[in-house]
Amino acid sequence: MAAAEIRVTLPDGSERRLPTGATGADLATAIGPGLAKAALAVRVDGQVRDLARPLPDGAKVTIVTDKDPAALDVLRHSSAHVLATAVRQLFPRAKIGFGPPIEDGFYYDFEVPAPFAPEDLERIEAKMREVTAADYPFVREEVDRAAAQRRFADDPLKLERIEDLGPDEVISLYTDGPFVDLCRGPHVPSTGRIKHFKLLHAAGAYWRGDERRQMLQRIYGTAWFTKEDLDAYLRRLEEARKRDHRLLGKQLDLFSIEEDVGPGLICWHPKGAMIQFQLRRFIEDTILERGYSLVYTPNITREELFLRSGHLPLYAANQFPPMAAGEGESESVRYRVKPMNCPMHILIYASQQRSYRDLPVRLAEIANVYRNERSGTLHGMLRVRGLTMDDAHIFLREDQIEQEIFQLLDIVELVLGKTFGLSYRLDLATRPDKKLGSDATWDQAERALEEALKHRGATYRIDQGGGAFYGPKIDIKFSDAIGREWQGATIQLDFEQPERFGLEYTGEDNRPHRPVMIHRAIFGTLERFVGFLIEHFAGAFPLWLAPEQVRVLPISDDQLPAAREVQSQLRAAGLRAHLDERNETLNYKIRDAETHKVPYMAVVGQREAGAGTVAVRVRGSGKKQEVVPLEQFVKRLQAENRTRALSPLT
């Protein structure tokens, strides 16, 4: 005989008895009317589920409200279904793809005869409001494969998805009013719980991300629990549009992507190249002071090297296809452009005998590497095929791991915290499904990183399964001026590559020992980091990084000789000064310098020309200016340049 009741455990450790078949909604009601009204979903033994599903006996249960971190994903997943409901009502023949929640919103893919126009999105959003006003319940139904195929007989996209499901996988459908979809859930109780949403834009997207498949139309939207949160997000989006590095990069003449060169390959213009040069010099000076050695390695290598390292076949999807052998080599030889530097740095380490006294050996290279990213994922400087990495590989003894991690975190703090003023967090990324090496080795590597973080007193989060295929890593995520999160530095601990290459050092006992290896990058790639900096600073770089630090502005042609002398003295002091000799009025020249985000303007007038002074105007200060001796101005800028201050001194 079935039990008449079940027991569940609440977050505070207390138990509740409920009738068999009771749902999450029943539990919320039993706890109190306030919770019942606020409940959106239920977490059962760690898994978020619909409120309407029966609770299992003995489960640990938490009622999910809008205060729960998982709640926004549930809301946005349900919002995607409301979007699909509206599209199907307005475009009855639309085929339905995928509709997941994503960071800050949701999307849904549709196969329709023509792309959605802006006016279509307006109509769809209005129809969505009708769907939410109708307050349709989200009803879950489990069916067998044959029933699912019958229900979606007119939608080949859904039929293909059903074919992919495993033989033992539960097939569930969700219905809200006139719309039914193949979906695992969970969802909010009804469409009426979705109140604050906005459709953002539409774009093309290949079915299942495969450029060989048909192009679908993807509609992006966002949803929040309060109008204030929605409005704040839309303001951030507007600010992000103003800061878009692709627009500012063109306006400031920093870089371009040329069709004749290829997508994802950056052409650095002189001003952008100056930013890259300053970043290179900064990181190279920083690491040379800390015991690193610079190396340079070729851009191509024989394919066998990546087979030996394990990158092939595990990383083959991200590598460009092989090239034929070089002149005079066997036809069986193949070359690859390198997607990373570690195998070559390993060979440099292995080129001579090493002693325990030599370790750590720190080999660094700012190198060009190439990765065959899908064309649909490329995005300006932020996702490219040609990458400039500030890469380094450190070969060390196991007893040196902790101190080396400490030094790397010190460099991260110097660069991201002290120099750029960024707040950041640490993620400890653990073993992925596809990996090299044994679980015992991974246990050892993960334990070493976690102990280093604990001894450092660092706060960190676990990124389950986010490690590299050869080892766990510490990823640094930082936030920009408008609150967006970016991937920054990475510190990866690798026991596997030294084993595969048979690396050794002679220990204090005069016997061979195996070193361990740390892969690390501080900027990551210079393309992505510069793209971030453009958006973070909205193009108004601090003085030390600005490609044009001072613009010298004579008020008329009569002051040109004096202005040239000012420019000459600034350049002699190591400052990047540009003289504007155009015939335009001074006000126009000042506005143009502001548009190009120049930190300082040195205005040379009649009084200044004759007295060795300049009228200094600071970026963004409006009409405010001060007249200072040129020598004092030069010294002030030199001091700011050396200290890498974040903003011009006033």
Side-chain angles (χ1 to χ4, degrees), residues 279-295 340-342 345 360-367 371 388-396 401 404-415 449 468 470-476 487-494 516-526:
L279 291 171
R280 281 172 171 263
R281 187 165 69 173
F282 173 32
I283 200 65
E284 287 179 342
D285 287 348
T286 297
I287 63 177
L288 287 173
E289 292 170 356
R290 290 161 173 79
Y292 284 73
S293 298
L294 299 180
V295 297
M340 67 285 295
N341 305 296
C342 43
H345 291 189
V361 172
R362 305 179 181 98
L363 303 179
E365 177 177 13
I366 297 182
R371 297 178 181 175
T388 310
M389 295 188 69
D390 70 314
D391 209 3
H393 296 91
I394 303 162
F395 304 86
L396 66 166
I401 291 173
E404 198 64 29
I405 297 296
F406 287 178
Q407 186 192 84
L408 289 169
L409 293 175
D410 287 341
I411 295 174
V412 168
E413 173 58 20
L414 171 66
V415 175
L449 283 185
Y470 45 74
K473 57 181 178 171
I474 300 170
D475 282 334
I476 289 83
Q487 168 66 53
T490 186
I491 302 167
Q492 305 172 353
L493 184 58
D494 183 358
V516 294
M517 184 176 170
I518 292 176
H519 310 241
R520 77 100 185 102
I522 304 302
F523 293 138
T525 73
L526 287 169

Side-chain angles (χ1 to χ4, degrees), residues 386-435:
L387 306 87
T388 310
M389 295 188 69
D390 70 314
D391 209 3
H393 296 91
I394 303 162
F395 304 86
L396 66 166
R397 306 189 309 265
E398 286 187 46
D399 64 296
Q400 296 173 317
I401 291 173
E402 185 166 292
Q403 284 306 311
E404 198 64 29
I405 297 296
F406 287 178
Q407 186 192 84
L408 289 169
L409 293 175
D410 287 341
I411 295 174
V412 168
E413 173 58 20
L414 171 66
V415 175
L416 299 183
K418 294 180 180 177
T419 302
F420 290 107
L422 303 172
S423 59
Y424 59 88
R425 64 178 174 83
L426 309 179
D427 282 359
L428 175 57
T430 61
R431 72 198 73 184
D433 292 333
K434 293 183 178 180
K435 66 184 191 307

Side-chain angles (χ1 to χ4, degrees), residues 271-272 274-280 282 419-420 529-530 533-534 537 541-549 576 599 641 644-645:
K271 290 182 177 180
M274 177 55 68
I275 295 172
Q276 187 191 127
F277 172 75
Q278 294 299 329
L279 291 171
R280 281 172 171 263
F282 173 32
T419 302
F420 290 107
F529 196 72
V530 169
L533 290 176
I534 293 169
F537 290 117
F541 302 104
L543 179 78
W544 72 275
L545 202 54
E548 182 184 353
Q549 296 176 313
R576 297 184 288 280
N641 218 15
R644 295 192 174 94

Side-chain angles (χ1 to χ4, degrees), residues 578-595:
H578 169 73
L579 173 61
D580 191 337
E581 296 191 10
R582 294 175 298 174
N583 241 347
E584 280 83 354
T585 65
L586 179 63
N587 283 340
Y588 175 87
K589 291 179 180 181
I590 289 172
R591 285 197 301 273
D592 188 64
E594 287 279 5
T595 298

Side-chain angles (χ1 to χ4, degrees), residues 154-172:
D154 63 343
D155 196 332
L157 301 183
K158 291 297 178 186
L159 291 176
E160 182 179 332
R161 179 69 186 100
I162 293 168
E163 285 299 315
D164 291 341
L165 298 176
D168 299 324
E169 191 162 352
V170 173
I171 301 176
S172 56

Side-chain angles (χ1 to χ4, degrees), residues 285-359:
D285 287 348
T286 297
I287 63 177
L288 287 173
E289 292 170 356
R290 290 161 173 79
Y292 284 73
S293 298
L294 299 180
V295 297
Y296 299 105
T297 58
N299 286 327
I300 63 170
T301 181
R302 286 182 171 178
E303 189 175 61
E304 285 79 4
L305 183 61
F306 292 119
L307 288 167
R308 188 177 177 190
S309 69
H311 289 94
L312 291 174
L314 288 178
Y315 204 73
N318 294 92
Q319 292 189 240
F320 280 95
M323 297 179 284
E327 183 65 31
E329 294 182 277
S330 166
E331 290 186 3
S332 63
V333 173
R334 292 289 181 268
Y335 280 81
R336 295 264 188 168
V337 293
K338 64 178 181 181
M340 67 285 295
N341 305 296
C342 43
M344 295 184 184
H345 291 189
I346 289 170
L347 295 181
I348 292 175
Y349 174 89
S351 66
Q352 60 180 275
Q353 180 63 41
R354 308 285 181 174
S355 163
Y356 72 95
R357 294 186 181 91
D358 300 326
L359 272 53

